[in-house]
Amino acid sequence: MRLSQMLFVTLREDPAEAEIPSHKLLIRAGYIRRIGSGIYAYLPLMWRVLTKVRQIVQEEMNATGAQECLLPQLQPAELWRESGRWDTYTQAEGIMFALKDRQERELGLGPTHEEVITTIARDMIRSYRQLPLHLYQIQTKFRDEIRPRFGLMRGREFIMKDGYSFHADEESLKKTYQDMNQAYSNMLTRCGLAFRAVEADSGAIGGSGSQEFMVLADAGEDLVLYSEDGQYAANLEKAVSIPADAEPSPFTTYEKRETPGAETIEKLCQFLKCSPTQIVKNVLYQAVYDNGMTVLVLAMLRGDQEVNEVKLQNELVRLAENYGGKTVLSLIVPDAETQQKWAVEPLPLGYIAPDISDDRIRCDKQLHPKFLRLVDKTAVELKNFVTGGQEPGYHVVGANWGEQFQLPERVVDMRKAKVGDRSIHNSNQHLQSARGIEVGHIFQLGTKYSKVMGATYTNEQGTEVPLVMGCYGVGVSRLAQAAVEQSYDKDGIIWPIAIAPYQVIISVPNIADTQQMQVAEKLYTELNQTGIETLLDDRNERAGVKFKDADLIGIPYRIVTGRSLQTGKVEVIERATHKSQELPIEEIAATIKQWLRNP
Ligand code: ATP
Ligand code: MG
C-alpha cells in the first residue's frame, strides 16, 4: 500500500479524550477513531491488526477441533427469559441493549451467546454420539458498559471470540477446558504478549472453576495476586490467602467503654491503643433480590480486613432460595438516608455490635425481618476482642464468642486477600500484586444453562440428562490494544511482528529524487511479491515527518532509500531498538524474510 493513497492522518498532540498510552497512540497513529461513547471505528491499519489477531485465534481454535460459525446478534427476549437472565441483563446490571421491533416484540443485542447456543443444542443434539461438540464465533458484541473507557479496552461495541462446548460428562468438559487453556496460551504467545493465567471468580454459577488470561500492564483494570514462586495466581476478586496472625488482645475482662469519635477502625485503635487485629468490625450491607426482597446483611470480620464484595455477593446468591429469589440485583453499604427506608430508628453506624436486634428492621413484606449475620473466618478465632457498643460513642472490649455474643451460624470467606499475605499453597510464600488486562476467560459452566433451558441428550444408558457445558471468550479488540499497552516507547507503537499491520515501511526521503524513488518502487514490488507486507511512504513530505510517522505507527522495519544508495545499499532500521544498518539492495528481501522468521 502507498501512503499517498491511504487515509493516513496522524496527530502530533495527545488527544484529550484518551488517558492511557495505548489509547492515545492508537488515535494519534490513525488506527481508531471515536464515533461515540465506547464506540470506535477500526480504520484500515487497525483492521489489518485485528484480522491478524483473528487469524491466530482461528488457527488455534481450529487446531483443537472447534468449529467456527456465526450466531445472530439480534436475540429474542424469550430466550433470555427462559434462562432467567432477561431482567438481570436489561435492568439489574443493565448491560444489554434492549429494543422493541415494530411488532412490539422485545429483542436484545447480544452481549454474549449462551442462550442462543443452548437453544441450538437443545434442538439439534439428541444423543451422546454427537458429543463432545465445540462451536465458536468471532463477532461484534454489544454491552452498555457503565463506564466505557480506554478506547477498545472497554467499549460498548467490541469484537469477541466466544466458544461454547457441549459434553456428556464433567470429564470430557475438563479435557476441552485443558485444551482451551493450552490454545489460549498459544494465542497470546503467538501475539507476542506477556501474560499470566489466573484463577478467576466464576460468579455464583459454581462449576469447577474458571481461569482468566491477564496481559500484564500498569493500565490494567484488574489486580492479580500471585506468589513469588508462580505456583499461585488469582484475580483479587477470587484470591484466597492466609492472613497475618492476630496480636493477642490486651483486654482480659469484658467491659463497655466510652470511645467518643472512634467511628473508624483507625481512630478506635488509636483511642484504645490496640491493634486492628483485635477488633471484630460489623459492616452493614443492604441486598436486594430479584423478587424485590431487601435483606440486611451484617458482615463481621477482623478489623484489619476488608470485605471482598464479589465473594459476599456470591454467598448471597447461594442463599437466594432462603429469600425466595434467584439472584441479587444490588448490594450496597446503606448510608443514613437509605437506612430510613427500613430502619425503625437510625442505626449506630460505626458502633454496631454483632447482636444488633432484629427489631431494628421495620415490618414490611418486602423486608426480610431478620439480619443475615455472616462471620468471616478471620473473626471467628478472635479472643477477648473489641467490637461495637450498640450505641454511638461506645465500644466493648474483652468480648468472646459464646459468652457475650453468639457466633453466627454462617462462617464464610468474604475477605480480600492482600499483598504480603501468606499463600495457601505454601505459607513461606507471600503474595505480590500486578495489574492486568483481562483478555480471555475460560469457564466450566456445567449444567446451568442446559438445565433451565431443557437442553438434554440421551446417554449411553438411554436416560435423558442435561448437557454439560463450557464457554470460552477472547476479547479480540481488547487484546489488540493490550499489545500496544505492553509495547511502546516515547516515539510510538512497537507492534509485535505477528500482529503488525505491515512488516516493513519504505520511507523515501525525497520523492523528487528519481534514484530514491526507483529503488523504493523496486523494493516495494519485490518485498510484497515475497510475501512481506510492505508500505511505501511516497508522500510529498519532509524526511523527518516520514520517519516520525513510521515510528508512531510502529511498523517493525523501516527501509530508507537515502544517501547509502551511492554504495548500492539502503538503510534498515529496527523499530523496537532503533538499531540501524546498511544492507545491499539485492540482499534486502532475503534478509528481512530471515528476520521475520527469527525475530
Ligand atoms: P470485564 O470484567 O473486563 O468486564 P467480562 O468478565 O465482562 O470482562 P467476559 O464476559 O468474560 O468479560 O467476556 C470475554 C472477554 O471479552 C473478556 O475477557 C474481555 O477480553 C472481553 N471484553 C469484555 N467486555 C469488554 C468490553 N466492554 N470491551 C472490550 N472487550 C471486552
Ligand atoms: Mg464485563
Side-chain angles (χ1 to χ4, degrees), residues 557-569:
Y557 297 104
R558 166 157 56 97
I559 296 175
V560 181
T561 54
R563 237 169 279 141
S564 55
L565 290 182
Q566 289 159 3
T567 54
K569 292 182 174 173

Side-chain angles (χ1 to χ4, degrees), residues 224-228 232-234 239-242 415 417-426 428-433:
V224 173
L225 292 178
Y226 62 94
S227 61
E228 292 131 348
Y232 181 80
V240 290
S241 65
I242 307 169
R415 56 177 274 274
K418 53 186 178 189
V419 172
D421 282 352
R422 289 160 291 175
S423 178
I424 47 158
H425 82 286
N426 173 352
N428 291 324
Q429 291 284 321
H430 293 266
L431 297 184
Q432 305 192 345
S433 73

Side-chain angles (χ1 to χ4, degrees), residues 115-369:
E115 281 76 2
V116 170
I117 200 85
T118 308
T119 308
I120 296 171
R122 172 173 63 193
D123 292 348
M124 300 184 73
I125 302 178
R126 289 283 138 90
S127 153
Y128 69 93
R129 285 189 211 93
Q130 294 167 278
L131 299 172
L133 189 78
H134 186 169
L135 298 180
Y136 78 93
Q137 60 170 346
I138 297 175
Q139 185 193 54
T140 296
K141 293 279 185 277
F142 297 91
R143 292 187 184 181
D144 194 2
E145 299 278 357
I146 301 180
R147 285 188 71 199
R149 57 184 191 154
F150 299 160
L152 308 185
M153 293 286 193
R154 188 168 296 283
R156 296 199 299 161
E157 180 178 329
F158 59 95
I159 303 174
M160 195 203 286
K161 185 288 290 181
D162 48 328
Y164 307 87
S165 66
F166 297 90
H167 310 267
D169 51 36
E170 288 283 331
E171 196 187 322
S172 164
L173 167 62
K174 289 217 159 75
K175 179 170 181 314
T176 298
Y177 184 78
Q178 268 322 313
D179 290 349
M180 281 304 112
N181 187 8
Q182 188 58 52
Y184 276 41
S185 301
N186 296 349
M187 282 174 204
L188 298 180
T189 306
R190 284 181 62 188
C191 288
L193 294 162
F195 66 97
R196 203 180 259 279
V198 307
E199 283 179 25
D201 173 56
S202 328
I205 297 169
S208 329
S210 83
Q211 197 165 275
E212 285 166 344
F213 290 80
M214 296 284 187
V215 167
L216 305 174
D218 291 339
E221 291 186 277
D222 285 281
L223 196 74
V224 173
L225 292 178
Y226 62 94
S227 61
E228 292 131 348
D229 65 1
Q231 295 292 306
Y232 181 80
N235 190 316
L236 172 67
E237 294 177 350
K238 163 87 181 179
V240 290
S241 65
I242 307 169
D245 292 330
E247 290 173 34
S249 170
F251 309 106
T252 44
T253 45
Y254 177 75
E255 58 179 316
K256 189 166 180 172
R257 290 213 189 155
E258 198 175 353
T259 52
E263 72 280 356
T264 65
I265 295 287
E266 203 189 339
K267 288 182 192 161
L268 180 61
C269 288
Q270 264 173 14
F271 189 86
L272 291 176
K273 301 198 175 34
C274 69
S275 146
T277 63
Q278 295 150 354
I279 300 170
V280 171
K281 71 173 170 190
N282 305 284
V283 190
L284 183 67
Y285 281 92
Q286 171 182 326
V288 180
Y289 281 92
D290 53 340
N291 57 351
M293 178 67 74
T294 296
V295 176
L296 287 322
V297 183
L298 204 57
M300 304 169 199
L301 66 173
R302 209 170 75 186
D304 61 324
Q305 303 298 321
E306 299 292 326
V307 177
N308 178 330
E309 292 183 358
V310 174
K311 291 183 184 175
L312 177 58
Q313 165 108 7
N314 290 344
E315 178 65 17
L316 295 175
V317 174
R318 278 192 285 273
L319 296 172
E321 267 187 2
N322 301 357
Y323 303 105
K326 283 201 182 75
T327 186
V328 175
L329 295 191
S330 76
L331 177 66
I332 57 162
V333 173
D335 56 19
E337 200 190 328
T338 324
Q339 281 178 42
Q340 285 174 6
K341 292 189 196 123
W342 53 262
V344 174
E345 52 181 310
L347 265 63
L349 288 186
Y351 301 91
I352 296 177
D355 63 349
I356 188 159
S357 165
D358 295 326
D359 296 343
R360 299 276 193 154
I361 304 172
R362 202 177 286 158
C363 265
D364 184 326
K365 59 180 189 319
Q366 292 287 69
L367 283 174
H368 190 77

